[in-house]
């Protein structure tokens, strides 16, 4: 197949491109490098791999056939989307529209990378796909959360109206090699601080929880979802939909507090840094986040395989090497 990956020079996108090449496909990565880097794909020297520097919030023209579009383009770290709120809203809305337009034109399938952030600061834990969320439209995270919620609605509209073959994956906190050292997400932030011997900056009281999934597991879930052809199901209003078009959570249900996570990082790095408590730079920091992965287990036969300590050691090694450079 010839497969397009928007956001292909980003953290998850670059691992997905690698997996698609390993599966024997031809890959076109489209990325404007706003938060990604060509360093992430420099090793993909393969005649079946092509990189196009383009902002997908503007029309996408591509010659030749396309069989599938993975739409991953979007800033994803709170620090990034606070810096680029308008670009984040544009790529989730206009960018998703353009990616859907490309898929429709080429009669290709499309998978949209959504997020656990559509659940906002959830009042149910763990979060099943049926939970409708608790998002503030006007809060600092709103530019990301609402763009992704709009994106999901648009994908469903294309599925309903144009019968496009679509998938929506709700990705929970994913970590691994190639995360940007300064992207502000808690994993590279704590590891970088521990490696440099600086204090680890815990926001709030550190009682908020997250559930961390290793990138290879996330990519495997995404790939399985793209390949899943389910049954017809009756959706809201009695309309018949494809089961595979309805959202699927992909994440690791192992939940820990941020304070506990900081202590584990100190231990894994072997660092004598201290914890320091700071106010959270965003409002509405979700207090709990843990995926209910029953649907992924049942429909995709998927669950995370890489243990926390192993995934973190691989990530620490990668960040250590890059810090040394
Ligand atoms: P990332 O920032 O490393 O990658 C995103 C990529 O998209 C970057 O390479 C960036 O340059 C590119 N991009 C952004 N706007 C673009 C535009 N207008 N045109 C073209 N390219 C553009 O982030 P990531 O962690 O790899 O996230 C990838 C996707 O997965 C995002 O859609 C994100 O919302 C979703 N996601 C990730 C996580 C996670 O924990 N990593 C969790 C939930 C959802
Ligand atoms: N966090 C923290 N210190 C940091 C960075 C993040 O305590 O230096 C916390 C943040 O407040 C949140 C959690 O870690 O509760 C995860 O943050 P991240 O930015 O990785 O992503 P989020 O899950 O909030 O989108």
């Amino acid at each position: 197949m010839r497969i397009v990956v928007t956001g292909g020079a980003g953290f998850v996108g670059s691992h997905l491109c690698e997996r698609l090449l390993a599966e024997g496909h031809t890959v076109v990565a489209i990325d404007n490098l706003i938060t990604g880097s060509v360093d992430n794909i420099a090793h993909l020297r393969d005649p079946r791999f092509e990189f196009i520097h383009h902002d997908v919030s503007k029309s996408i023209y591509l010659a030749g056939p396309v069989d599938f579009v993975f739409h991953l383009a979007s800033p994803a770290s709170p620090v990034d989307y606070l810096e680029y709120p308008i670009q984040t809203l544009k790529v989730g809305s206009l960018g998703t529209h353009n990616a859907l337009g490309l898929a429709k034109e080429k009669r290709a399938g499309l998978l949209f990378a959504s997020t656990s952030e559509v659940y906002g600061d959830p009042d149910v834990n763990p979060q099943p796909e049926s939970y409708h969320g608790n998002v503030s439209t006007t809060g600092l995270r709103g530019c990301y959360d609402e763009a992704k919620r709009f994106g999901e609605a648009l994908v469903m509209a294309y599925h309903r109206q144009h019968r496009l073959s679509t998938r929506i994956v709700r990705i929970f906190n994913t970590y691994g090699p190639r995360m940007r050292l300064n992207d502000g997400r808690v994993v590279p932030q704590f590891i970088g601080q521990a490696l440099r011997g600086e204090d680890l900056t815990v926001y709030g009281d550190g009682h908020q929880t997250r559930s961390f999934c290793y990138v290879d597991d996330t990519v495997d879930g995404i790939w399985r979802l793209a390949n899943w052809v389910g049954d017809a199901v009756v959706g809201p209003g009695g309309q018949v939909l494809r089961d595979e078009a309805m959202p699927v959570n992909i994440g690791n249900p192992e939940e820990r507090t941020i304070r506990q996570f900081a202590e584990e990082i100190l231990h894994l790095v072997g660092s004598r840094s201290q914890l320091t408590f700071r106010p959270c730079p965003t409002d509405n920091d979700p207090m709990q986040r843990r995926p209910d992965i029953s649907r992924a287990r049942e429909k995709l036969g998927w669950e995370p395989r890489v243990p926390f300590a192993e995934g973190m050691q691989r990530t620490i090694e990668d960040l250590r090497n890059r810090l040394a450079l």
Side-chain angles (χ1 to χ4, degrees):
M1 288 199 289
R2 184 166 185 245
I3 299 178
V4 169
V5 180
T6 76
F11 160 52
V12 179
S14 63
H15 285 273
L16 178 63
C17 289
E18 217 172 273
R19 172 73 186 260
L20 296 173
L21 290 169
E23 295 285 343
H25 302 294
T26 297
V27 178
V28 182
I30 309 180
D31 200 300
N32 69 349
L33 305 178
I34 189 172
T35 57
S37 165
V38 284
D39 293 347
N40 290 335
I41 48 172
H43 62 293
L44 301 178
R45 289 176 202 284
D46 189 309
R48 292 173 300 137
F49 182 73
E50 185 185 347
F51 173 67
I52 299 175
H53 189 181
H54 178 69
D55 178 349
V56 298
S57 298
K58 303 194 171 110
S59 298
I60 310 170
Y61 299 105
L62 201 58
V66 172
D67 301 289
F68 204 89
V69 178
F70 287 92
H71 178 44
L72 271 65
S74 170
S77 152
V79 167
D80 288 339
Y81 56 74
L82 290 185
E83 189 175 353
Y84 304 111
I86 298 170
Q87 285 95 327
T88 302
L89 279 154
K90 283 174 79 172
V91 75
S93 53
L94 306 177
T96 304
H97 189 217
N98 291 330
L100 285 161
L102 174 70
K104 180 167 165 268
E105 164 76 21
K106 303 287 185 185
R107 300 181 201 288
L110 176 137
L111 178 143
F112 175 56
S114 186
T115 166
S116 54
E117 283 281 321
V118 299
Y119 302 125
D121 184 11
D123 34 31
V124 299
N125 200 43
Q127 296 83 53
E129 289 87 352
S130 56
Y131 177 56
H132 290 173
N134 177 32
V135 171
S136 160
T137 55
T138 52
L140 290 170
R141 288 174 174 260
C143 60
Y144 181 65
D145 304 5
E146 291 300 338
K148 291 290 186 182
R149 289 170 70 94
F150 177 88
E152 287 196 9
L154 195 61
V155 168
M156 288 309 295
Y158 267 71
H159 176 63
R160 289 192 170 102
Q161 192 166 338
H162 296 306
R163 296 274 150 210
L164 208 70
S165 171
T166 55
R167 313 281 188 280
I168 295 172
V169 59
R170 291 189 180 147
I171 305 172
F172 283 65
N173 293 67
T174 293
Y175 72 96
R178 295 191 209 128
M179 293 189 93
R180 246 173 47 237
L181 258 163
N182 61 346
D183 88 355
R185 285 187 270 196
V186 71
V187 174
Q189 181 92 333
F190 282 2
I191 296 175
Q193 289 167 336
L195 288 171
R196 289 188 296 257
E198 298 165 3
D199 285 357
L200 271 57
T201 52
V202 176
Y203 296 156
D205 61 10
H207 284 127
Q208 69 273 34
T209 67
R210 291 296 185 271
S211 308
F212 298 102
C213 190
Y214 189 66
V215 65
D216 288 357
D217 283 330
T218 299
V219 164
D220 188 49
I222 291 174
W223 179 234
R224 281 175 192 240
L225 175 57
N227 283 290
W228 173 38
V229 180
D231 298 321
V233 290
V234 180
Q239 204 178 26
V240 176
L241 300 170
R242 304 292 315 171
D243 195 10
E244 68 271 20
M246 304 304 282
V248 179
N249 287 340
I250 291 291
N252 193 320
E254 211 176 275
E255 185 182 12
R256 36 181 43 84
T257 67
I258 291 301
R259 186 185 175 137
Q260 188 187 343
F261 175 63
E263 276 155 8
E264 286 172 298
I265 290 299
L266 291 182
H267 175 73
L268 287 169
V269 171
S271 162
R272 277 187 278 167
S273 295
Q274 307 287 312
L275 307 190
T276 166
F277 292 84
R278 299 268 175 83
C280 183
T282 65
D283 57 348
N284 305 111
D285 191 7
M287 285 300 113
Q288 48 189 3
R289 196 185 276 159
R290 175 185 179 193
D292 177 333
I293 60 164
S294 314
R295 184 163 149 81
R297 274 203 176 103
E298 187 191 326
K299 307 288 186 176
L300 310 179
W302 178 88
E303 61 182 4
R305 299 198 179 283
V306 180
F308 175 83
E310 190 183 320
M312 282 299 165
Q313 281 301 3
R314 290 189 210 163
T315 311
I316 291 167
E317 270 324 295
D318 171 67
L319 287 167
R320 200 194 298 273
N321 292 338
R322 283 192 284 138
L323 261 181
L325 287 175

